[in-house]
Amino acid sequence: MFGSQNENSDDTETVIDKEDNVFVMSNRKTKYPTLQLDLRLIKDLVVIIVSATAGGIIFSCLGQPVIVGYLLAGSLIGPGGLNLINEMVQVETFAQFGVVFLLFALGLEFSLPKLKVVGPVAVLGGVLQIALFMFLCGLTAALCGAKLSEGVFVGTFLSMSSTAVVSKFLVEKGSTNALHGQVTIGTLILQDCAVGLLFALIPVLGGSSGIFGGMMSMGRLLLVLSIFVTVAYMMTWSFIPRFLKLMIQLSSQTNELYQLAAVAFCLLLAW
């Protein structure tokens, strides 16, 4: 902990954990019962929401996607711009909730039968995209005198797309059920699954692990992913329909309980 220990001091106290995350101590413990409010976090959230609203309004008036305004607003107020945000760890944690809810909404939109139709195209296209980027960046690195493994590493993550950003565009354009939308969603799902597997190759590319160790790590990840998908698929026709019917019966007068249950289920599954 850094900062003054004097209760009457206005110095900011911060705590740095073992992963170098910086936490701002907004309220010191006192012997008196006080209302605990993180005013710095409240101020950060107000700045974010107001700036995102302003950015969205400006780009909407210009006929551009509002998400571009959100991104530019975040860049402007973030550490790389005006640096108006004090509690980055807490704000980034809140931001993860937004990503979870956005992808949850996308999952409600896409059609599994349509996804099966475009599956071969999405899988083949996604695999070719990743392999092509890895080959081209590896070749470029070798020609420039850099390590081949470094080029492959860069190419691997250049081939990834932001599911949150792309799905936001698809939802805004109403293209989630269109042919190109389903192909895009299928490719994004493949990339999301591939990210975990590619992370297992990082020790191999860095030279800290052998190829056998990397393959074992990928095998474990594939096993966990397969078990998760199998359990999730079984829940779609066994537990989930009964649970939702029960929530509808209990929410005959108000849908508050139904909405709360949906949010709870979304966050539990993501966690």
Side-chain angles (χ1 to χ4, degrees):
M1 178 178 289
F2 301 91
S4 173
Q5 299 300 319
N6 182 7
E7 287 191 4
N8 297 321
S9 174
D10 292 331
D11 293 341
T12 300
E13 290 184 356
T14 58
V15 174
I16 303 178
D17 65 10
K18 63 181 180 180
E19 297 180 352
D20 292 332
N21 295 317
V22 179
F23 298 87
V24 178
M25 306 300 293
S26 297
N27 294 290
R28 303 179 183 90
K29 289 185 177 180
T30 65
K31 60 183 178 180
Y32 304 107
T34 58
L35 180 63
Q36 297 294 306
L37 289 175
D38 191 343
L39 295 179
R40 291 189 183 91
L41 180 58
I42 294 175
K43 189 267 292 183
D44 288 344
L45 294 178
V46 171
V47 170
I48 290 171
I49 294 174
V50 171
S51 60
T53 303
I57 291 174
I58 292 173
F59 276 78
S60 179
C61 293
L62 295 175
Q64 301 298 317
V66 294
I67 193 171
V68 180
Y70 300 156
L71 292 172
L72 291 180
S75 302
L76 180 63
I77 66 175
L82 300 177
N83 197 21
L84 300 178
I85 306 302
N86 295 313
E87 303 187 3
M88 284 298 299
V89 176
Q90 291 89 325
V91 170
E92 289 176 354
T93 303
F94 271 104
Q96 293 300 320
F97 283 93
V99 175
V100 169
F101 290 135
L102 178 61
L103 298 183
F104 183 74
L106 176 67
L108 295 176
E109 291 289 335
F110 79 79
S111 169
L112 191 59
K114 290 184 178 179
L115 198 60
K116 289 181 179 179
V117 174
V118 301
V121 178
V123 171
L124 181 60
V127 171
L128 283 177
Q129 178 192 13
I130 296 173
L132 187 61
F133 266 89
M134 293 172 66
F135 172 75
L136 291 177
C137 290
L139 180 63
T140 303
L143 294 176
C144 295
K147 293 182 180 180
L148 177 64
S149 59
E150 294 177 352
V152 173
F153 174 81
V154 173
T156 298
F157 289 96
L158 282 178
S159 64
M160 296 294 114
S161 306
S162 173
T163 304
V165 173
V166 177
S167 61
K168 177 70 173 170
F169 276 114
L170 292 176
V171 172
E172 285 183 359
K173 299 296 183 181
S175 302
T176 53
N177 290 321
L179 179 61
H180 64 276
Q182 292 296 313
V183 171
T184 303
I185 292 173
T187 305
L188 292 172
I189 292 175
L190 173 72
Q191 290 181 354
D192 290 339
C193 296
V195 166
L197 300 178
L198 293 173
F199 266 117
L201 292 179
I202 291 179
V204 179
L205 296 175
S208 59
S209 176
I211 296 179
F212 178 75
M215 297 302 294
M216 288 294 294
S217 180
M218 290 185 66
R220 287 194 296 268
L221 287 171
L222 276 174
L223 178 61
V224 172
L225 181 63
S226 301
I227 294 174
F228 179 80
V229 171
T230 302
V231 173
Y233 179 74
M234 293 174 62
M235 289 176 64
T236 59
W237 53 265
S238 58
F239 171 73
I240 299 302
R242 295 181 176 88
F243 175 72
L244 292 180
K245 288 180 180 179
L246 176 62
M247 289 299 101
I248 292 175
Q249 293 175 359
L250 297 177
S251 305
S252 57
Q253 296 181 349
T254 174
N255 61 352
E256 178 180 330
L257 184 60
Y258 183 87
Q259 294 174 349
L260 183 62
V263 171
F265 173 76
C266 166
L267 293 178
L268 178 62
L269 198 63
W271 179 73

